Each structure stands twice: as C-alpha cells, then as structure tokens.
Amino acid sequence: QEGQPIYLAVKGVVFDVTSGKEFYGKGAPYNALVGKDSTRGVAKMSLDPADLTHDTTGLTEEELKSLDDIFNNVYKAKYPIVGYTSRRILNEDGSPNLHFKPEDQPHFSIKDEF
C-alpha cells in the first residue's frame, strides 16, 4: 500500500527496502520478492513464484556464492535490517529460541545491524 514500508527477507533477515521503491514497489521489477523470504529467488536471480521461498535445498555452489554476494553487497550495504523471520528466532517446534542472538548469526556483525 502507498505510504507503507516495503519489506523483504533474504537468509531470514528482514530488510526495509522502501528507499528502493522504484525496484520493489507496486508494479516495479522486483516487487515479487517483497513480503516474504525470497532467498532462493535471489540466489537463482529468479522471480518464478516457485523460487520465492527461504528454501536453499539443491542450490549450486555458484548460486550460493551469488546469494552471499548479493546479501552482503546489496541488501546489507544499502538497506536497514528491521528484523528476522521466525525461522531464525524460533525452534522447529515453534517455541522461542532463547539462545538466539543476532551477533551469533552467520555473516553478521552486531555493529552493522543495530
């Protein structure tokens, strides 16, 4: 909706991409990525609805490297982190992961996040 923030998640990290409205807003080229964890789509550079998921099963080494590059050099570099998906902060049974700490997550530096 107009005037509302635009969020998308990659690798379980929720980014506010509102400043990139021309890329992620309604009718924009990458709008399909917003409102969900689109990790697989980012890795494969795909907007296919089947790829707009957190699932990285079966990705090639090249796709995983591309994912890390885009995650660090685009999303982390340009957009504020506003949260995490439940997959990062909950246990598989849905209970809170009391041991979750942003600074313990792979590829993160606490000073970069907060």
Side-chain angles (χ1 to χ4, degrees):
Q1 293 182 359
E2 196 64 38
Q4 296 295 312
I6 303 169
Y7 294 158
L8 71 80
V10 178
K11 294 173 65 169
V13 179
V14 181
F15 295 93
D16 181 341
V17 297
T18 307
S19 65
K21 183 168 52 174
E22 66 275 12
F23 300 108
Y24 301 102
K26 187 175 181 178
Y30 301 117
N31 179 258
L33 299 173
V34 305
K36 61 185 75 70
D37 188 327
S38 297
T39 300
R40 184 177 197 84
V42 170
K44 294 177 65 99
M45 296 186 187
S46 168
L47 297 176
D48 183 324
D51 289 329
L52 302 180
T53 177
H54 69 278
D55 188 6
T56 59
T57 306
L59 291 178
T60 66
E61 286 298 317
E62 185 176 309
E63 289 167 335
L64 290 170
K65 182 181 180 330
S66 174
L67 173 62
D68 280 344
D69 289 346
I70 294 168
F71 179 80
N72 287 308
N73 300 322
V74 175
Y75 293 108
K76 264 187 79 178
K78 291 184 178 180
Y79 302 108
I81 294 170
V82 294
Y84 298 93
T85 63
S86 62
R87 292 188 174 279
R88 281 211 179 245
I89 61 175
L90 298 178
N91 296 314
E92 286 191 27
D93 66 1
S95 64
N97 176 359
L98 300 178
H99 302 290
F100 173 82
K101 296 179 191 163
E103 63 267 26
D104 292 340
Q105 299 304 305
H107 307 292
F108 294 99
S109 168
I110 191 73
K111 68 180 184 207
D112 291 341
E113 293 188 56
F114 301 100

